[in-house]
Amino acid sequence: MTLQQDWHEQDSSEFIELGEYFVPERQTQMNVVTAMIPPPDSPVEMLDLCCGQGKLSAALLAAFPTATVTGLDLSPAMLDTARRDLAGHGDRFRTERFDLAAHDWRKRPVAPAAVVSSLAVHHLDADGKRALYRDVHTMLRPGGVLVIADLVQPAGPRGVALARDMWNDAVREQSLAGTGGLQAYDKFHALEWSCYEYPDELDKPSPVLDQLGWLREAGFTEVDLYWMKAGHAVFGGVKPAA
């Protein structure tokens, strides 16, 4: 399985331009992710899977001054933007081109203290998610954490309708607040961005309860749902220290 053929540079350009409007409470989500990572007491490595333009990587670098962050992404445009925007962090930020669904990147020379991902894991099917969680558990150092911010699949039609409507409301509010108009909101629908309103083959969100179970199955403890709104959730777990 590969994501290479499903994601295009036009998708990257649109998200770089409009992500601030399309993602509900993006800053809050990043704050929750960083809050669930124990502050390291020594230099550590952290991985940002599908780092995009580097927003979450920047949050990690700011929150953890002893950390080095590697941002991995499929898109050259995303990686170029991340390198440019985070150049001020010097060698504390590195980039690596990868395909999330591939396995070659899952053996690391240094065991990371944290692996994070935002709006990417839902591109994997159920088996792909389960394999990813197992591999990340193996990859992490003892006491390390996996924290995911992602789209999840509501359990029934009322949940889907609620996620759809809440996401629409969030994009409308953020469009008005950010631009004074509804241009971003209109683009959100023109691009058919919401998987709860315009299902497509690229988006494969899984129920959050299933994913919490897969994390436990992989060996994670303290598995929990930390935040959720409009079909977007932040969840994760800890690799036992012993």
Side-chain angles (χ1 to χ4, degrees):
M1 181 175 59
T2 178
L3 303 183
Q4 182 78 45
Q5 72 274 21
D6 294 327
W7 185 267
H8 306 286
E9 287 301 85
Q10 181 62 34
D11 300 312
S12 297
S13 298
E14 289 161 353
F15 191 77
I16 290 169
E17 176 189 358
L18 298 163
E20 290 301 312
Y21 309 110
F22 286 5
V23 182
E25 298 190 28
R26 194 178 193 184
Q27 186 60 53
T28 296
Q29 292 193 50
M30 292 191 295
N31 292 345
V32 172
V33 171
T34 58
M36 298 315 301
I37 299 173
D41 54 11
S42 60
V44 295
E45 172 82 9
M46 298 182 181
L47 303 183
D48 183 0
L49 309 182
C50 299
C51 67
Q53 66 205 98
K55 297 285 188 180
L56 182 53
S57 291
L60 295 175
L61 291 163
F64 308 110
T66 64
T68 297
V69 176
T70 299
L72 302 95
D73 207 278
L74 176 65
S75 164
M78 291 291 201
L79 292 173
D80 287 346
T81 301
R83 281 192 292 267
R84 183 184 68 242
D85 290 353
L86 301 183
H89 293 281
D91 59 8
R92 290 184 59 217
F93 179 69
R94 300 188 291 262
T95 61
E96 184 178 321
R97 191 161 188 249
F98 88 142
D99 189 311
L100 179 65
H103 292 269
D104 55 343
W105 63 270
R106 300 185 185 188
K107 295 185 183 299
R108 313 300 300 181
V110 176
V115 175
V116 305
S117 183
S118 176
L119 293 175
V121 175
H122 68 277
H123 294 311
L124 301 175
D125 63 16
D127 288 341
K129 295 182 184 76
R130 293 177 78 176
L132 176 69
Y133 299 162
R134 291 194 301 266
D135 291 344
V136 170
H137 183 272
T138 299
M139 176 195 309
L140 283 165
R141 73 178 193 174
V145 298
L146 169 63
V147 189
I148 296 169
D150 202 19
L151 293 166
V152 295
Q153 181 62 36
R158 285 180 297 173
V160 171
L162 179 62
R164 178 198 65 214
D165 294 345
M166 290 184 71
W167 197 356
N168 281 335
D169 289 345
V171 176
R172 176 187 288 273
E173 291 170 6
Q174 291 173 172
S175 179
L176 286 169
T179 69
L182 293 176
Q183 298 94 327
Y185 177 78
D186 292 340
K187 196 71 176 290
F188 178 74
H189 286 286
L191 294 171
E192 299 187 350
W193 203 267
S194 171
C195 62
Y196 307 123
E197 193 159 357
Y198 311 104
D200 62 30
E201 294 182 358
L202 178 60
D203 294 317
K204 307 176 184 72
S206 297
V208 68
L209 289 178
D210 289 357
Q211 299 198 65
L212 297 180
W214 298 336
L215 289 168
R216 294 190 192 96
E217 177 185 274
F220 287 97
T221 60
E222 299 182 43
V223 173
D224 209 349
L225 172 65
Y226 310 127
W227 178 93
M228 188 171 181
K229 179 177 180 179
H232 294 65
V234 183
F235 57 96
V238 180
K239 181 174 180 175

